[in-house]
Amino acid sequence: MAALKQTQTLCQHRRRTYTLVEALGTMMRKTNYMSMSDEQAHAELCSAESTLLQAALCILDGEDLAGFLRATIKIKSSYNIYKECSRILEKKPWESEMSRMHFQSGVRLGLATFSIMIAMLPPRLVTLLEFVGFSGDKEAGLAELQAGAREPGLRGVLCELTLLAYHLVVSHFAGATPDFDLCQRILETQLKVYPEGVWFLLFEGRLQLLRGRCALAAATYLRAADTPHLWRQLRHLCYWELMWANAMMMDWRGAAGFAGRLIEESSWSRTVYSYAKAALLLQLGEKGTPAERRQAADLLKAAPLYRQRIAGKSLPMEKWVSRRCERYAVQGGRLLLPAIELLCLWNMLPALSGDAAAVHSMLKQIEVTDERLDREENLWPSALEGDNRALLAYLRGCCLVVLGVPRLALHHLDHVVRLKEKIKEDSFLVPYALVEAAMCHHSLGEVDRAVNILQDTRKRYSNYSLESRLLFRIHSKLQIVRENPPTPGGSKDSPDFARPPSRQPGRAEHPQAVA
């Protein structure tokens, strides 16, 4: 923050200054850019960049509403300066082509990033932002970033890093479709130039992870984490990704080890880290040692104590974790498949679409857990039976979606919806299941039905856990459904993939028996 303040001071000394009369004149007529020097133009651009970075730090550092208000004002100021820079680029006579080229790469980077991020927000937020002067167009923003990456401007490499971040992080979070081929081309080119470049190694690992090459991803992240003099926060990011890579390989104990390192070294969210380690240890089941079970119990007891509050509100995932910790106590020291549930909620299962064996192994664990729930029904709280049955059906449905058997997946996802009245706490499972069901209908060629389900889910359901996360995904799924025609293939649906929900008195059943 001190360095950014120094940067802003430097920019103010180099930016174009106006007398009172000139300032009043610019309000009544168009600004004259003919007399602006290249240095003054670049000072405007640097001011926009540093203002945006200051806003980001205000959000990270401030824990009250005033911090968020300051950040909002700075974001709007940065956006306005970027718009001014776009006019400078268009109308100013440049002293050298290289100066113009570097300036253009910065303008493209800034406006394109704003445009993409705004376009990815849910419609209600976009309408509000457009009212106060923002605008967003994802395709135009991506095209500008690619143009900036191709040109030899100073910020060309930042355009490439932004493209990688969008496709490999933002798109994955929002449930959009990443362009893996573009990411591969960028990484192949840049890793030849910067073979030890940590940012490119991180994105290389992320690309491998999302393609389901978990062992290669883990090796890449370990290589990045071992980089000398690496920023501590980037090493923690490597540990976080290594936790997921090991979990996707169902090395629960190895994944728990990296979660433990995050608990010891990182302060980002000890609540989430503590729950993640406990969930991974509990996922070991009978293979876990008594010491590991005791450790999991201690972690679940301590996790809610680390909850953070920003602007007076808890983080959504930390709030959800606290509820799961309470569930563990209510259920007598038990949770149903907590690590697989985390993989589903973090949208990591689609990356395993090329590893059918791993998904089948998860389905087998779900099957075994369902049978155990039948046998030990008297040991579980009867009031939460609907929640537990819905969770198992949701996890099974998600696995079947990944295996490409949408009709059978729909059977279990519909079962979640039919259990809606019996669910006491985990109301989020219903809208989450509906979104998965909508994409199943899309893959079966039922586009209108998919659109209706997504729109209806967005309108009808609210005030459930992890709501914002799902609203982002619904927005992206609607774009996918409308823009990409379905490619239904031969159905692989077979009763061998998973059995239907058990038929017991008082439990909702599918109207048609599975063959």
Side-chain angles (χ1 to χ4, degrees), residues 145-179:
L145 284 177
Q146 291 184 47
R150 286 192 299 268
E151 295 175 353
L154 180 65
R155 295 165 182 84
V157 68
L158 296 179
C159 289
E160 290 183 316
L161 286 170
T162 304
L163 282 167
L164 292 170
Y166 167 76
H167 286 293
L168 299 179
V169 180
V170 178
S171 290
H172 175 255
F173 171 82
T177 305
D179 189 340

Side-chain angles (χ1 to χ4, degrees), residues 94-387:
W94 293 89
E95 299 165 17
S96 74
E97 178 59 22
M98 181 172 288
S99 180
R100 187 203 64 80
M101 179 181 63
H102 290 321
F103 188 85
Q104 180 174 262
S105 72
V107 173
R108 280 180 161 157
L109 172 65
L111 288 180
T113 303
F114 266 109
S115 189
I116 292 169
M117 293 300 102
I118 292 169
M120 294 204 61
L121 295 172
R124 283 179 294 181
L125 284 177
V126 172
T127 302
L128 178 62
L129 289 171
E130 288 176 344
F131 178 75
V132 296
F134 289 93
S135 62
D137 184 332
K138 186 178 73 174
E139 298 305 322
L142 290 173
E144 281 292 290
L145 284 177
Q146 291 184 47
R150 286 192 299 268
E151 295 175 353
L154 180 65
R155 295 165 182 84
V157 68
L158 296 179
C159 289
E160 290 183 316
L161 286 170
T162 304
L163 282 167
L164 292 170
Y166 167 76
H167 286 293
L168 299 179
V169 180
V170 178
S171 290
H172 175 255
F173 171 82
T177 305
D179 189 340
F180 289 147
D181 293 335
L182 172 65
C183 295
Q184 186 68 54
R185 291 196 298 272
I186 291 174
L187 288 167
E188 285 177 352
T189 301
Q190 292 299 335
L191 283 172
K192 289 178 182 176
V193 182
Y194 308 106
E196 301 300 323
V198 172
W199 288 107
F200 293 114
L201 286 176
L202 286 171
F203 284 123
E204 173 73 9
R206 183 73 176 176
L207 176 62
Q208 292 163 345
L209 185 70
L210 296 185
R211 282 182 160 174
R213 302 166 185 171
C214 301
L216 285 173
T220 303
Y221 282 126
L222 285 171
R223 179 183 166 195
D226 290 337
T227 302
H229 313 299
L230 183 65
W231 287 350
R232 180 170 54 92
Q233 292 85 351
L234 291 184
R235 186 168 285 110
H236 297 160
L237 184 57
C238 292
Y239 296 160
W240 174 258
E241 295 291 285
L242 282 162
M243 181 186 76
W244 292 116
N246 281 273
M248 291 164 69
M249 293 187 286
M250 284 177 290
D251 178 7
W252 310 119
R253 191 172 278 114
F258 286 108
R261 297 183 75 169
L262 288 168
I263 295 171
E264 295 170 2
E265 300 179 22
S266 175
S267 59
W268 278 342
S269 179
R270 293 187 69 186
T271 293
V272 172
Y273 302 150
S274 298
Y275 178 78
K277 183 174 182 179
L280 291 160
L281 291 175
L282 290 175
Q283 194 66 49
L284 289 168
E286 295 179 355
K287 296 180 181 178
T289 65
E292 288 172 328
R293 286 191 285 272
R294 286 194 300 272
Q295 186 180 17
D298 292 339
L299 287 166
L300 291 171
K301 186 182 295 184
L305 304 177
Y306 301 119
R307 275 176 62 175
Q308 305 170 80
R309 299 184 73 83
I310 298 178
K313 293 187 177 182
S314 298
L315 300 177
M317 181 53 72
E318 292 191 347
K319 190 181 296 184
W320 179 85
V321 162
S322 295
R323 290 182 180 140
R324 275 292 179 265
C325 294
E326 292 172 4
R327 177 75 67 83
Y328 175 81
V330 170
Q331 294 184 158
R334 298 181 184 87
L335 284 174
L336 287 176
L337 304 170
I340 296 177
E341 182 184 28
L342 275 181
L343 286 171
C344 278
L345 293 180
W346 233 274
N347 200 30
M348 302 307 296
L349 282 188
L352 293 175
S353 58
D355 190 353
V359 184
H360 275 289
S361 180
M362 289 185 185
L363 275 171
K364 180 63 177 176
Q365 291 192 34
I366 296 170
E367 175 78 11
V368 169
T369 303
D370 202 0
E371 292 173 352
R372 186 175 60 125
L373 193 60
D374 291 340
R375 291 194 311 270
E376 305 174 353
E377 195 167 12
N378 60 321
L379 301 178
W380 296 77
S382 58
L384 295 173
E385 181 183 2
D387 298 71

Side-chain angles (χ1 to χ4, degrees), residues 59-74:
I59 293 172
L60 291 173
D61 186 54
E63 296 188 1
D64 53 13
L65 185 58
F68 274 85
L69 290 174
R70 287 195 299 271
T72 303
I73 294 169
K74 288 184 179 296

